[in-house]
Amino acid sequence: MTMDGTVVVPGTTRGAQWVDDVLLAGPAGDVCFRLPTPIDRGMLRRLVRERQSELAGSGLRPGGAAALRLPPSMAFVTHLLAVWRLGGQAILLDHRLTDYEVRRAIERLVPQVVVSADRPVVSGLRTFVDVDTDVASYSGHPASTSHAVVQLSSGSTGPSKVIGRTAEDLVEEVLRYTQIEGVPLRGERVILLPSMVHVLGLVGGLMYGLHAGVELVPPARLTGDAIVQAIASGNSPATVLGVPFHIGLLASVQEPPPLPQFKRMTTGGELVPAATSAAFEDKFGVPLGNMYGMTEVGVIGTDLFGAHRPAIRPAPGIEVRAVDGELRIRRPESPYLGLSDPSRWADGWLRTKDAGVVDPETGLVSIKGRLDSQVSVGGLKVDLTEVEYTLTTLRGVEAAVVVHDGSITAYVQLHERRDVTRIEADLAQLLASYKRPRSVRVLDQLPRTTTGKLVRDIAVLRKAAP
């Protein structure tokens, strides 16, 4: 958006104009971040220009790529915007990846420069850290594609995929957010919990917040008390943006103070069980909104007022259909780079691998779980999502992952001590015998991806089990 309020959608991924018009425009004194020290728009623009000069001096050229291996920080924000202003491609690497994973990604994507922290990052529970950076020249090659951003999928069910999105696509998603009723408005705050390396924090948090004039407030620490303190730190309405894992952090606050500023919490990622939603809304007195999306697309649908749970309404401009029980999203081109399953995108439609239905009258979309959650036991079909959901309704069960590795196996995380035999006895009252797990394994913490999604990779779960 320009200074006179005109929205500009870029015609190319190259160059700085779309960054200035859509993300950095606005009064210099407007606060963008509160860390808790405020960072206003004028200061942000100055920092981005400085980073741009440093990157150019290290060899990044228009059309080149820069790999960013940085924790959530002003260093990440300013380097990302600087890469885009320079007309470059940003390859986002979660700072929690191992050196081996990073090396494989860099060898495959061949950036011109690699930006990383100049020393090991020990962030603990901090959501935003101060880091100094090291910029290393890597190659002289231009980026192999014209995508503005390259991300790795979360890999909750297997190896990560490499996904690219153009500047046009990113800007369209930012503008899509502005048309969704219930999103934070100018002058309000977002308590930002998800990592900006991943799509919810990147577009739904950082990019939308900058475009809409919403103040971004990362809590001092990733704890329930710190999130409450961040909500209470200002008088303007506050929306907590996170994933289902973060609901548990807020739920752990024993006696939250009155929070008249608390507008709602919005979660992306996995669907939230109805019992969890009800308990949260009863405790805090605000709606728990739901958002459905993918790294490949961004936001697909929302239910920010909790009016249609568990169904969602497609976001403006998003077309969803169900084919043979699978949800598909209209996309003009494949988002995948390099080797990928060619069946995932064809004839303008992206297969989500999520089971679901679209109501022909209301257009509401109901997600039924992953297609790969359907298994056959003794010739009878079992939906592992149903077994997981039933487990999470039991007393003491905080989270559950159910897989089929020859037989049905459940991995559960408890928030109160319970004997496995009691869990199995409770399940026997709720599920037919062929649906019940043959083994229930209790873990202190279920493995999660860097975006907070539960890992369903059988090898990872076996390794984590006692």
Side-chain angles (χ1 to χ4, degrees):
M1 181 177 293
T2 60
M3 294 294 287
D4 65 1
T6 303
V7 172
V8 178
V9 178
T12 175
T13 59
R14 307 302 189 193
Q17 197 60 48
W18 74 273
V19 182
D20 292 346
D21 292 343
V22 178
L23 303 180
L24 292 178
D30 281 1
V31 174
C32 302
F33 291 89
R34 196 167 295 276
L35 303 174
T37 304
I39 303 292
D40 63 30
R41 200 168 290 269
M43 182 182 299
L44 179 61
R45 288 194 285 248
R46 176 176 59 79
L47 290 172
V48 170
R49 288 193 297 268
E50 291 175 359
R51 298 290 179 267
Q52 187 174 338
S53 296
E54 294 169 2
L55 289 167
S58 297
L60 182 63
R61 298 290 178 264
L68 306 183
R69 187 192 186 187
L70 295 169
S73 58
M74 283 308 299
F76 173 84
V77 172
T78 54
H79 278 91
L80 173 65
L81 298 178
V83 170
W84 285 342
R85 283 195 91 246
L86 199 58
Q89 178 184 94
I91 300 168
L92 306 187
L93 303 176
D94 196 296
H95 75 286
R96 292 164 292 194
L97 296 176
T98 65
D99 290 341
Y100 172 74
E101 291 171 308
V102 169
R103 186 166 60 252
R104 286 186 61 190
I106 289 174
E107 289 173 350
R108 179 177 180 181
L109 298 169
V110 197
Q112 288 184 337
V113 300
V114 178
V115 185
S116 55
D118 67 348
R119 58 179 58 88
V121 177
V122 183
S123 57
L125 292 175
R126 294 188 64 81
T127 58
F128 224 71
V129 297
D130 293 323
V131 294
D132 293 321
T133 57
D134 176 69
V135 182
S137 299
Y138 186 78
S139 80
H141 300 296
S144 59
T145 70
S146 61
H147 296 100
V149 67
V150 172
Q151 295 169 277
L152 304 181
S153 69
S154 60
S156 60
T157 58
S160 296
K161 299 179 291 292
V162 180
I163 295 163
R165 297 183 67 187
T166 64
E168 293 91 339
D169 191 32
L170 292 172
V171 173
E172 285 176 8
E173 186 184 358
V174 170
L175 300 183
R176 185 171 296 127
Y177 271 100
T178 67
Q179 302 174 62
I180 297 173
E181 186 178 2
V183 297
L185 304 175
R186 177 172 294 277
E188 298 185 356
R189 295 174 296 147
V190 166
I191 311 304
L192 187 62
L193 305 182
S195 170
M196 293 178 292
V197 170
H198 303 288
V199 66
L200 178 61
L202 174 67
V203 186
L206 174 64
M207 296 181 70
Y208 171 72
L210 290 176
H211 175 74
V214 175
E215 190 175 301
L216 299 170
V217 185
R221 295 171 64 80
L222 198 56
T223 65
D225 289 335
I227 297 170
V228 166
Q229 290 170 8
I231 298 169
S233 66
N235 296 321
S236 58
T239 295
V240 175
L241 181 65
V243 296
F245 166 74
H246 298 129
I247 301 173
L249 297 180
L250 274 170
S252 70
V253 180
Q254 294 300 315
E255 296 183 8
L259 295 169
Q261 313 94 322
F262 199 177
K263 181 179 178 181
R264 69 166 42 80
M265 181 172 184
T266 299
T267 65
E270 298 169 325
L271 292 176
V272 178
T276 302
S277 302
F280 175 88
E281 293 175 353
D282 182 64
K283 187 166 197 172
F284 289 97
V286 301
L288 181 62
N290 180 43
M291 185 179 295
Y292 168 58
M294 300 171 64
T295 303
E296 293 90 330
V297 180
V299 60
I300 295 172
T302 62
D303 179 29
L304 300 190
F305 294 89
H308 308 297
R309 188 176 287 116
I312 52 96
R313 185 173 298 284
I318 293 291
E319 187 176 348
V320 185
R321 70 179 185 182
V323 178
D324 297 328
E326 179 187 21
L327 296 177
R328 300 190 182 188
I329 314 297
R330 183 180 290 281
R331 301 299 289 165
E333 60 185 10
S334 173
Y336 302 111
L337 307 184
L339 299 175
S340 65
D341 180 356
S343 68
R344 286 299 298 269
W345 179 90
D347 300 324
W349 290 91
L350 178 70
R351 297 181 59 183
T352 65
K353 295 297 184 76
D354 286 327
V357 295
V358 180
D359 188 301
E361 295 185 3
T362 65
L364 292 175
V365 179
S366 295
I367 301 137
K368 303 297 185 180
R370 296 289 297 172
L371 278 179
D372 49 19
S373 70
Q374 312 281 329
V375 300
S376 179
V377 176
L380 300 171
K381 291 294 184 183
V382 178
D383 187 342
L384 301 181
T385 303
E386 177 192 3
V387 184
E388 283 185 6
Y389 173 81
T390 306
L391 273 164
T392 60
T393 66
L394 301 183
R395 180 175 65 83
V397 177
E398 182 172 340
V401 170
V402 178
V403 297
H404 187 266
D405 53 354
S407 62
I408 299 177
T409 302
Y411 298 84
V412 299
Q413 178 179 323
L414 305 178
H415 58 72
E416 66 176 75
R417 185 178 295 277
R418 292 209 68 195
D419 190 77
V420 168
T421 57
R422 291 305 311 158
I423 295 174
E424 293 172 335
D426 290 345
L427 273 182
Q429 302 299 315
L430 303 174
L431 291 175
S433 60
Y434 70 91
K435 297 181 181 180
R436 295 200 294 268
R438 295 298 174 260
S439 174
V440 176
R441 303 182 182 183
V442 177
L443 281 69
D444 292 336
Q445 292 287 333
L446 285 170
R448 293 180 180 269
T449 70
T450 54
T451 60
K453 292 182 180 180
L454 292 167
V455 170
R456 290 178 168 79
D457 186 287
I458 293 174
V460 174
L461 290 165
R462 284 176 175 168
K463 186 176 180 180

